[in-house]
Amino acid sequence: MIAPGMNRDEYLDNIAKYIGRLSHEIRALNAIGRFDINSTTEDFLIPILQVIFACPELQNQNQIQQNFPAVDLGCRKTRISFQVTTDASSGKILKTLEKFREHGLNAHFDCVYVVTITEKQTSYTAKVLDSAICALPVPFSKSDNILDLGDILSSIRLLDTDKLGQIVTHLKSEFEKYDEHSRFRENLDQFLEFTTRKIEVEKTSKKYIPEIFVETHSTKEEMRAFVNPMFFYRKVQDALFRIDYRHLNASLAFAKEPELALELDRSTSPAAYAQLAGWSRAIGDAVDKELAKVRPLSWNREAEDQKYTPHDKDSASWSIVQFRVESVATGLTYALRDARALIQLMQKKIFLITGMAGQGKTNFICDLIENQFSAFEIPCIFIPARELNSYPAHARIFNFIANNRYSPNFTKLHEYLDLFDKIGRDIGKPFIIAIDGINEIKAQAEFSDELKYFCSAVCQYNFIKIIITCRSEFFTEKYASILDEPYSDQIHQVTDLRAKMSKASKDRLLAAYLRHFRVTGSLTGAAEKFLKNDLLLLRIFCERHEGRDIGHTTEIYKGDLFEDFLLRKFRSFPEQLRAKVFPTLAKITACMLAADDYAKLSVREFEADEQQIVQHLVADDIILRQEITEQGLASFGDFIVSFTYDELRDFIIAYKLIEEVTNDNADALEGALSHLPGRPIFEGVYKYAYLLARKANKSLAISACERVAEFIEHFALNIHLLPPCVQNNADVERAEIILSDISVPQRVIRVAGFLLRRHNITEMLNITLLLNHMNNLDTEGHQAFIRTLFSDTNGYGRREWRERVGNLVDQVWEASSEESLDKAPGWLAFFLHASSVAWWSDRERAVTLFRNSVSHVCCQEALNLVRTAQADKVRSMIAEIEAPKDAGQ
């Protein structure tokens, strides 16, 4: 906009001032090795040159084609082009003209100007330059077509006043923007500190707990290549340097087949991030050419590949080497594919992580930002998506960025992206924008469109990348259309962070959780196995026992754990809400029962304090979580929730049902037990209802549970939930009935497995019950019982059960004698029972093990526990073990 009141001389004075400043800035920055302003000047000059040369469609040619040759700016309509440079030498002009001719740019342009943003030479007398001008297919004058800023200023003086006003407005705007950029660079550390503060908020809310982060190695490596390709491109080079055709060619030569020539140039490397895209494309094309040679020889051909046909496929020499050729070629194919995948990943613009709740997506992102990004000085904005709910729709991301007190006062998203791109260009690393948990956005349909627009905008910039995380079900339902956008080839998606978690990683994760929550003691057996394979249960367990010594824990009674955990969680609420937390959860479960929908529930009609409690629990994401809202007017503004952990939901339903049972009324419980069978929640609700009824000693509730069809089956399934304090003689009788009926092997295996782990004989249900049952079996019944315990329940392999007994003997034999005999006496007694019916060789090894340690205390106790056995094979085995060592010699 032309400034009011200015005359022509004032316009010219202002233009001279701005052009002089531009020249000074360029010389000063170039003197200290800062050349980023040079490329900026190309776009800076476009509006000025458009006016001077009357070419309104003048544009940067790199927007048409990356690394456009010879010229920087061009107008296809007026067919005028410009090369903008800081190098005013004859050599630079010669190179420009030669490239213009070599690339046939006369097809697009009739004229080329060289604009130097430093002073041009007083004369250009090089003969090679004269020759290049003669060879140029378009006219070129050294006096008219080589321009510097002084020439530009002279041309401006000839313009009419209106056009001078346009140039003043442009120069003023550009320098204000440049000054804003400069101030921002000075405050960049403070701007990025905003992300550090957001990470600290995630720590406070325990969404990110650094001490318990255990990375998934493969995904971490992928992320490193994505965010810092200039550091990790060497992995591509290393992989390609290992590609070697010598072994393949030796086999081909033996069969008199043509050998392959390796044409990979593995010595090239990008000097800067700006060159990475070109290098990646070139090396990627070279890898594809090698794959086209190798794949037809391998077992992993693609659809377009034809299987390699030897010149004489019936020759003896080909039949000798064919397997080796195909084997080596397959290995080379995998290696080349891996290298190509890494090359493609470095070029991607969007890293998308989806997965179920509790997989550690937030932990993964926060750890990367706090440790990896900071270590490599990668600039990053971290956006917890739930905070975007505080900003107006359609511009949430823009407003989040603008809310940073150190942000420039921009009005358009592209102004910020342009700034971030310049920062990335300046430091030679991508600027990362990480948006965590987009499933927590309330108006998801609106945000889906905003996200697609944002990703589309970012993909236009070379030095910006995005990381996005989302729960998988939300992504599938609300955001999956992003994969159909034109930039979908720029997306790298990881669908399961924990899919490849090794045993060692699980061990580290368990130890880290216990250490962070200051849980001391030891976990073994079923307790350890439970927690390693269920991250949500692990979190619940650790929060419940925070700061406590758990002693030696071998079993986890989920009912006790859930009750104690909920009580602890309720106490964390403000005092005025504490008494309403459980009633609110009970109301949710009651509504679910009434609607017969246990997956999700709308809480829109809940009272204000109930909604406040729900929001608090959803933010915590352990008890409740937000679910997908259906589209449509009826559901507009709705808030849908579900229980994060299904068993916790079932426990709460059961708790409420048992709570309502009185001395003479169990109608609600009986109604639920008759209504729920066949529904997915029945098993969970039933087992916790029975457990809670037993603990509360409510006879009506116990009777209602024990009248359920297939009660004995439910008892076998859930015997492990009965804590010692509620066990009684009736439980012992039921366990004995189950052990006696081998026609239902799954029941027998479950109950026997439970008893085998229970070594405390003060408990009603313990290993002695199992041993007494086995001792009382005759020879035939004893073998049938062992066969039941060790058989495949699918009924395959009638004799494989003995092999499984043999495997048990192998494990005990291969362990050190101390480790083997440090087992509990009850377990060793069971081992004696089992090994007595093993194959002869395995049985003899078990006998030898006991004979060599017959004086060991545990060994003696085990023998005493089986001494009353009725089965002949057990009695015979005891006799062999205790026979004098010189007997029979």
Side-chain angles (χ1 to χ4, degrees), residues 94-115:
L94 173 65
K95 185 177 179 181
T96 297
L97 300 184
E98 287 178 340
K99 282 186 172 292
F100 187 97
R101 178 177 55 81
E102 289 170 7
H103 289 278
L105 295 187
N106 57 299
H108 304 295
F109 307 112
D110 295 333
C111 179
V112 58
Y113 288 92
V114 178
V115 180

Side-chain angles (χ1 to χ4, degrees), residues 94 111 171 198 248 257 278 315 329 414 442 449 549 582 611 657 667 689 720 739 763 787 835 853 871 885:
L94 173 65
C111 179
L171 290 171
K198 294 299 179 187
L248 179 62
E257 295 294 324
S315 70
H414 277 283
K442 291 179 180 177
D449 292 335
D549 185 346
F582 184 74
Q611 295 225 20
L657 290 171
D667 292 348
H720 63 283
L739 293 175
E763 298 174 9
R787 181 172 63 241
S835 57
S853 306
K885 289 193 175 182

Side-chain angles (χ1 to χ4, degrees), residues 618-757:
V618 165
D620 198 39
D621 206 29
I622 298 176
I623 298 175
L624 293 180
R625 65 186 181 190
Q626 184 182 355
E627 285 297 348
I628 301 166
T629 304
E630 299 296 332
Q631 295 183 356
L633 292 174
S635 60
F636 184 76
D638 209 348
F639 193 68
I640 309 294
V641 299
S642 70
F643 283 89
T644 305
Y645 197 63
D646 288 347
E647 280 204 56
L648 190 56
R649 172 201 63 199
D650 299 345
F651 175 82
I652 293 170
I653 292 174
Y655 196 99
K656 184 61 177 173
L657 290 171
I658 297 301
E659 186 183 50
E660 293 173 353
V661 174
T662 64
N663 291 334
D664 58 358
N665 189 333
D667 292 348
L669 175 62
E670 290 175 344
L673 294 180
S674 63
H675 170 70
L676 291 178
R679 288 162 174 76
I681 72 162
F682 174 67
E683 177 57 39
V685 171
Y686 172 79
K687 70 182 180 183
Y688 289 118
Y690 185 51
L691 169 66
L692 291 166
R694 293 281 300 271
K695 287 184 67 176
N697 197 25
K698 291 189 172 183
S699 57
L700 275 182
I702 295 171
S703 298
C705 291
E706 292 182 353
R707 286 196 303 272
V708 166
E710 298 291 329
F711 165 68
I712 200 70
E713 176 68 21
H714 292 298
F715 181 84
L717 277 170
N718 301 308
I719 189 173
H720 63 283
L721 292 175
L722 292 173
C725 62
V726 303
Q727 295 170 10
N728 56 36
N729 289 324
D731 296 324
V732 174
E733 292 174 7
R734 294 182 187 113
E736 289 174 340
I737 290 170
I738 291 170
L739 293 175
S740 299
D741 186 5
I742 62 173
S743 67
V744 190
Q746 282 285 23
R747 290 183 194 167
V748 176
I749 291 169
R750 281 195 292 266
V751 172
F754 168 74
L755 295 173
L756 188 58
R757 299 192 304 269

Side-chain angles (χ1 to χ4, degrees), residues 4-16:
M6 273 197 182
N7 58 36
R8 181 180 180 84
D9 289 339
E10 288 174 317
Y11 284 141
L12 288 171
D13 288 345
N14 276 282
I15 291 169

Side-chain angles (χ1 to χ4, degrees), residues 518-689:
R518 296 173 287 106
V519 179
T520 56
S522 63
L523 284 161
T524 57
E528 183 181 24
K529 183 178 179 181
F530 264 138
L531 297 181
K532 282 183 180 178
N533 292 290
D534 190 331
L535 293 184
L536 276 172
L537 186 66
L538 175 57
R539 177 66 179 264
I540 290 170
F541 178 87
C542 288
E543 286 208 14
R544 156 67 184 90
H545 294 288
E546 184 171 9
R548 296 183 58 198
D549 185 346
I550 59 172
H552 181 67
T553 301
T554 59
E555 296 284 344
I556 293 176
Y557 295 104
K558 287 186 179 179
D560 293 343
L561 174 61
F562 290 157
E563 186 169 2
D564 292 343
F565 168 74
L566 289 171
L567 285 170
R568 184 182 180 95
K569 187 62 67 177
F570 297 166
R571 294 189 190 105
S572 69
F573 276 77
E575 189 171 350
Q576 69 273 18
L577 293 176
R578 283 178 199 168
K580 298 180 180 180
V581 182
F582 184 74
T584 300
L585 288 173
K587 182 175 179 178
I588 292 173
T589 60
C591 291
M592 286 180 166
L593 283 167
D596 203 20
D597 184 351
Y598 311 98
K600 56 188 178 181
L601 178 77
S602 168
V603 295
R604 180 165 52 184
E605 303 301 325
F606 278 37
E607 295 176 5
D609 53 356
E610 293 171 334
Q611 295 225 20
Q612 185 180 348
I613 289 167
V614 168
Q615 292 280 0
H616 181 93
L617 293 172
V618 165
D620 198 39
D621 206 29
I622 298 176
I623 298 175
L624 293 180
R625 65 186 181 190
Q626 184 182 355
E627 285 297 348
I628 301 166
T629 304
E630 299 296 332
Q631 295 183 356
L633 292 174
S635 60
F636 184 76
D638 209 348
F639 193 68
I640 309 294
V641 299
S642 70
F643 283 89
T644 305
Y645 197 63
D646 288 347
E647 280 204 56
L648 190 56
R649 172 201 63 199
D650 299 345
F651 175 82
I652 293 170
I653 292 174
Y655 196 99
K656 184 61 177 173
L657 290 171
I658 297 301
E659 186 183 50
E660 293 173 353
V661 174
T662 64
N663 291 334
D664 58 358
N665 189 333
D667 292 348
L669 175 62
E670 290 175 344
L673 294 180
S674 63
H675 170 70
L676 291 178
R679 288 162 174 76
I681 72 162
F682 174 67
E683 177 57 39
V685 171
Y686 172 79
K687 70 182 180 183
Y688 289 118

Side-chain angles (χ1 to χ4, degrees), residues 757-788:
R757 299 192 304 269
R758 312 307 299 168
H759 299 289
N760 186 346
I761 60 174
T762 64
E763 298 174 9
M764 298 289 289
L765 300 173
N766 66 74
I767 195 171
T768 305
L769 184 61
L770 174 63
L771 295 174
N772 288 341
H773 176 76
M774 297 172 78
N775 286 340
N776 291 328
L777 294 172
D778 60 22
T779 300
E780 183 178 348
H782 181 267
Q783 179 164 314
F785 186 78
I786 301 296
R787 181 172 63 241
T788 299

Side-chain angles (χ1 to χ4, degrees), residues 319-582:
S319 64
I320 292 170
V321 301
Q322 180 179 1
F323 179 82
R324 176 160 178 76
V325 166
E326 293 176 345
S327 175
V328 174
T330 298
L332 289 167
T333 298
Y334 277 124
L336 287 165
R337 280 179 175 173
D338 289 345
R340 184 178 62 178
L342 189 56
I343 293 166
Q344 292 171 341
L345 176 58
M346 291 190 297
Q347 296 174 290
K348 301 287 187 183
K349 302 288 290 180
I350 303 167
F351 200 106
L352 172 64
I353 301 174
T354 60
M356 300 302 292
Q359 282 192 346
K361 296 182 290 295
T362 297
N363 255 19
F364 181 76
I365 292 299
C366 291
D367 175 78
L368 278 168
I369 295 171
E370 187 174 42
N371 298 309
Q372 298 296 317
F373 292 7
S374 61
F376 288 102
E377 298 182 331
I378 297 170
C380 175
I381 297 175
F382 174 63
I383 305 177
R386 66 183 180 278
E387 294 194 13
L388 296 179
N389 291 319
S390 304
Y391 299 101
H394 307 300
R396 295 175 179 88
I397 299 172
F398 170 85
N399 282 290
F400 180 93
I401 296 169
N403 191 48
N404 186 325
R405 62 176 289 200
Y406 295 102
S407 287
N409 189 24
F410 292 154
T411 58
K412 297 177 182 177
L413 175 65
H414 277 283
E415 291 180 302
Y416 281 118
L417 296 182
D418 184 62
L419 176 58
F420 299 155
D421 189 70
K422 285 181 170 64
I423 292 169
R425 188 184 301 276
D426 189 27
I427 65 177
K429 295 170 185 174
F431 193 106
I432 306 297
I433 301 173
I435 309 175
D436 180 45
I438 59 174
N439 49 277
E440 297 185 44
I441 299 293
K442 291 179 180 177
Q444 290 170 356
E446 292 177 351
F447 186 70
S448 177
D449 292 335
E450 180 183 342
L451 182 67
K452 284 189 280 192
Y453 168 77
F454 181 73
C455 290
S456 176
V458 167
C459 286
Q460 299 172 41
Y461 294 85
N462 294 329
F463 288 82
I464 308 177
K465 294 193 174 190
I466 313 172
I467 301 170
I468 301 169
T469 74
C470 184
R471 268 177 42 200
S472 53
E473 64 271 31
F474 278 81
F475 181 78
T476 300
E477 189 73 22
K478 297 294 184 181
Y479 299 108
S481 60
I482 196 174
L483 300 177
D484 299 323
E485 292 295 305
Y487 51 80
S488 61
D489 61 338
Q490 297 293 312
I491 299 174
H492 177 75
Q493 184 176 8
V494 174
T495 57
D496 189 351
L497 279 176
R498 299 297 176 194
K500 298 179 181 178
M501 184 173 261
S502 64
K503 179 182 180 300
S505 292
K506 289 180 180 179
D507 291 342
R508 286 169 49 216
L509 186 66
L510 176 60
Y513 259 101
L514 297 176
R515 184 168 54 250
H516 173 77
F517 285 95
R518 296 173 287 106
V519 179
T520 56
S522 63
L523 284 161
T524 57
E528 183 181 24
K529 183 178 179 181
F530 264 138
L531 297 181
K532 282 183 180 178
N533 292 290
D534 190 331
L535 293 184
L536 276 172
L537 186 66
L538 175 57
R539 177 66 179 264
I540 290 170
F541 178 87
C542 288
E543 286 208 14
R544 156 67 184 90
H545 294 288
E546 184 171 9
R548 296 183 58 198
D549 185 346
I550 59 172
H552 181 67
T553 301
T554 59
E555 296 284 344
I556 293 176
Y557 295 104
K558 287 186 179 179
D560 293 343
L561 174 61
F562 290 157
E563 186 169 2
D564 292 343
F565 168 74
L566 289 171
L567 285 170
R568 184 182 180 95
K569 187 62 67 177
F570 297 166
R571 294 189 190 105
S572 69
F573 276 77
E575 189 171 350
Q576 69 273 18
L577 293 176
R578 283 178 199 168
K580 298 180 180 180
V581 182
F582 184 74

